[in-house]
Amino acid sequence: MVAYVGLISLGVSLPSMLCLPRIGFTKRRPFAMATLSDDPVQEWILTEGKATQITRIRPIGGGCINLANCYETDAGSFFVKTNRSIGPSMFEAEAIGLDAMYETQTIRVPKPFKIGPLRNSGSFIIMEFIEFGASRSNQSVLGRKLAEMHKAGKSEKGFGFPVDNTIGSTPQMNTWCSDWIQFYGEQRLGYQLKLAQDQYGDSTIYQRGQRLIKNMAPLFEDIVIEPCLLHGDLWSGNITSDKNGEPVILDPACYYGHNEAEFGMSWCAGFGGSFYNSYFEVMPKQPGFEKRTDLYLLYHYLNHYNLFGSGYRSSAISIIDDYLRMLNV
């Protein structure tokens, strides 16, 4: 959830302090790993990237996990992120998510080209450079295209993802599961609750959260939940538009889940009425949508609590307590 200023974003998704992470339906080839050299980034750009010269390397600010640069060449520009302390697996997970969204041919995302290790330590990812437009994306178009992605991106394996990834810097588990309520309870809410207990000794939020997980099934009565490809971390810093005004989404924490879970960061996304109207024209609203809204906010409030501390605890425990009263448990 990090915004890069002015150009492309694409930092690992990290919650914004201003807002006080096996594809199922296709068999995809693995991303090629770069060989070690003095500068594997430049090596790839000047060979497989089909450039004959790099004319400029300029930093793109805004990320707090990775370094980001634009490599300008005679074959066009490339966006490059590097991290000196983390191996290629983090960028591999990001690339798989970007590629899955890209293949739906619905909403625009940067196409990943190459990942690999740096010379001494760390890793890199090279991807398409997208020039941003002057304004944020049209809400109506964004809603429609996001719904089209959810409708197109399906999984035959159930809920989960081929790899674990990160939500901010928090590990996000994505083991395949055939039951959404179990998946969301164990691998989303349960995982975050356990982190809060381990990190802060917060047995109160853990115990109340576990009561909610064990009793939340009535919130899903009379609906059919299909595994949809989700961006997973859709807040304002990860939404922009290209120079033609088309929506672009960045920095995913992808998995296949209930489409409503995509709105879990809506408290920091600025979705308006035109967004939801256009979305529901493609993906109709299901019974009980409003009752489940806060349940999907809860995952992200818990993650913010675990990343940034007690400022987010009250929001998380308030949601839990409201549901316990609603469910009378």
Side-chain angles (χ1 to χ4, degrees):
M1 303 180 231
V2 173
Y4 285 101
V5 178
L7 289 166
I8 198 164
S9 172
L10 296 173
V12 168
S13 305
L14 183 68
S16 169
M17 296 184 187
L18 297 177
C19 293
L20 300 164
R22 301 182 278 186
I23 304 300
F25 62 96
T26 59
K27 182 178 180 181
R28 69 185 73 246
R29 57 181 173 76
F31 285 89
M33 299 291 289
T35 57
L36 290 175
S37 71
D38 287 341
D39 191 334
V41 172
Q42 294 195 29
E43 178 183 334
W44 184 90
I45 289 173
L46 295 172
T47 54
E48 295 178 65
K50 303 188 185 309
T52 62
Q53 61 177 331
I54 297 170
T55 57
R56 184 186 180 197
I57 302 173
R58 55 186 175 86
I60 298 176
C64 57
I65 294 179
N66 306 301
L67 295 177
N69 289 280
C70 174
Y71 281 64
E72 298 176 0
T73 80
D74 58 350
S77 296
F78 297 91
F79 182 80
V80 179
K81 288 195 300 185
T82 58
N83 189 303
R84 284 288 180 183
S85 60
I86 299 176
S89 61
M90 178 186 69
F91 288 141
E92 172 81 16
E94 179 179 356
I96 291 172
L98 288 170
D99 190 54
M101 294 191 295
Y102 185 88
E103 287 191 2
T104 66
Q105 293 297 293
T106 52
I107 193 166
R108 189 172 186 190
V109 299
K111 181 175 177 58
F113 296 134
K114 178 74 78 174
I115 59 171
L118 294 171
R119 175 65 175 173
N120 295 317
S121 65
S123 55
F124 70 88
I125 181 171
I126 304 172
M127 64 187 78
E128 174 189 9
F129 179 84
I130 298 177
E131 185 178 352
F132 285 2
S135 60
R136 195 163 173 251
S137 63
N138 179 284
Q139 287 273 299
S140 179
V141 177
L142 174 64
R144 175 173 55 82
K145 287 188 172 291
L146 183 67
E148 289 171 352
M149 185 184 83
H150 290 167
K151 191 172 184 178
K154 301 296 184 182
S155 165
E156 296 176 354
K157 293 186 176 181
F159 304 98
F161 207 56
V163 294
D164 296 335
N165 47 28
T166 56
I167 181 76
S169 57
T170 307
Q172 181 168 264
M173 303 297 104
N174 293 313
T175 303
W176 293 111
C177 181
S178 61
D179 183 89
W180 169 250
I181 299 174
Q182 179 183 352
F183 177 88
Y184 192 68
E186 293 178 358
Q187 299 192 51
R188 293 297 178 264
L189 298 183
Y191 187 86
Q192 293 284 349
L193 289 166
K194 184 64 163 59
L195 283 181
Q197 184 182 51
D198 293 346
Q199 185 169 223
Y200 303 121
D202 196 338
S203 59
T204 299
I205 201 167
Y206 177 81
Q207 292 168 4
R208 292 184 193 178
Q210 287 295 329
R211 280 171 54 201
L212 171 58
I213 290 170
K214 292 174 183 177
N215 293 279
M216 67 184 183
L219 299 171
F220 299 90
E221 290 178 346
D222 302 322
I223 62 171
V224 176
I225 304 174
E226 296 183 349
C228 298
L229 178 62
L230 307 182
H231 174 282
D233 189 14
L234 204 61
W235 71 288
S236 59
N238 291 342
I239 304 168
T240 186
S241 63
D242 63 19
K243 61 183 180 181
N244 297 318
E246 288 295 309
V248 180
I249 55 177
L250 313 164
D251 295 353
C254 286
Y255 65 100
Y256 291 93
H258 188 195
N259 66 302
E260 294 175 10
E262 192 76 283
F263 310 131
M265 279 295 293
S266 59
W267 53 281
C268 200
F271 298 142
S274 62
F275 168 87
Y276 286 108
N277 289 339
S278 293
Y279 182 89
F280 290 131
E281 285 178 3
V282 179
M283 294 283 288
K285 183 190 292 188
Q286 293 181 302
F289 170 81
E290 288 80 7
K291 291 194 300 184
R292 292 183 294 275
T293 300
D294 283 355
L295 191 69
Y296 291 132
L297 301 184
L298 178 58
Y299 173 56
H300 295 276
Y301 277 125
L302 286 170
N303 187 47
H304 277 61
Y305 175 34
N306 283 317
L307 287 171
F308 297 124
S310 60
Y312 292 94
R313 183 183 187 276
S314 61
S315 296
I317 203 160
S318 176
I319 290 174
I320 293 171
D321 287 344
D322 285 348
Y323 275 114
L324 294 178
R325 283 191 292 270
M326 179 194 303
L327 297 166
N328 195 28
V329 293

